[in-house]
């Protein structure tokens, strides 16, 4: 399976602008730039998109692992907070924190936490990233 994303950039770093799109068309010509990345300008940025991708991937991986235990989630809500730090004269994504709240009928705390940790380690986006990935997980009773 291969999926494509694309971007077009015009200008210099601080005043230039870009647009990004996905093959599916769900994201089409979304604006991004210096202000959306380092300030509060309108549009998206690469770190936000990585966060959405990671949260989505993790949630799907958790769903798979839960099914292996005969469990089906009513809801898996994941937020990925991506940290971009200045490192060695440049910038790097240094951390991603996954915050999970889930409703899973019949799940014990132990099974839930084991499944969440396995999903954190095993989802393809986690494997792609070279950053510290942490997790906070809450199972609603």
């Amino acid at each position: 399976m291969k999926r494509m994303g694309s971007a077009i950039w015009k200008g210099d770093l601080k005043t230039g602008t870009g647009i990004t799109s996905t093959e599916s068309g769900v994201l089409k010509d979304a604006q991004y730039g210096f202000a959306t990345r380092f300030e509060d300008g309108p549009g998206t940025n690469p770190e936000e998109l990585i966060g959405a991708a990671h949260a989505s991937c993790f949630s799907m991986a958790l769903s798979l692992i839960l099914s292996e235990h005969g469990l089906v989630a009513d809801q898996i809500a994941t937020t990925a907070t991506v940290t971009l730090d200045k490192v060695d004269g440049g910038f790097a994504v240094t951390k991603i924190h996954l915050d999970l709240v889930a409703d899973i009928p019949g799940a014990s705390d132990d099974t839930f936490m084991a499944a969440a940790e396995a999903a954190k380690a095993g989802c393809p986006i986690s494997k792609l990233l070279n950053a510290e990935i942490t997790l906070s997980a809450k199972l609603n009773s």
Side-chain angles (χ1 to χ4, degrees):
M1 173 179 54
K2 295 182 181 181
R3 297 287 186 250
M4 292 187 307
S6 62
I8 297 172
W9 183 263
K10 296 179 181 180
D12 66 7
L13 176 63
K14 289 210 174 184
T15 62
T17 59
I19 56 171
T20 186
S21 301
T22 58
E23 178 181 11
S24 68
V26 169
L27 189 64
K28 183 164 177 52
D29 297 338
Q31 176 185 334
Y32 75 102
F34 187 87
T36 63
R37 196 169 197 185
F38 298 105
E39 299 166 1
D40 290 327
T44 189
N45 61 68
E47 292 73 28
E48 178 180 71
L49 296 171
I50 289 168
H54 199 187
S56 301
C57 181
F58 169 82
S59 296
M60 291 177 75
L62 179 55
S63 177
L64 170 66
I65 294 164
L66 290 170
S67 71
E68 294 168 353
H69 293 278
L71 298 167
V72 176
D74 286 342
Q75 178 171 292
I76 295 170
T78 307
T79 302
T81 303
V82 178
T83 300
L84 181 70
D85 285 321
K86 193 164 190 172
V87 177
D88 299 327
F91 287 91
V93 171
T94 56
K95 293 185 244 183
I96 299 176
H97 179 73
L98 299 171
D99 189 22
L100 165 65
V101 177
D103 295 318
I104 308 164
S108 70
D109 286 337
D110 289 344
T111 299
F112 169 68
M113 287 307 299
E117 287 294 336
K120 180 185 81 148
C123 98
I125 300 300
S126 289
K127 292 176 182 179
L128 167 74
L129 300 170
N130 184 22
E132 175 188 1
I133 301 169
T134 58
L135 168 69
S136 297
K138 178 183 177 193
L139 177 62
N140 289 331
S141 302

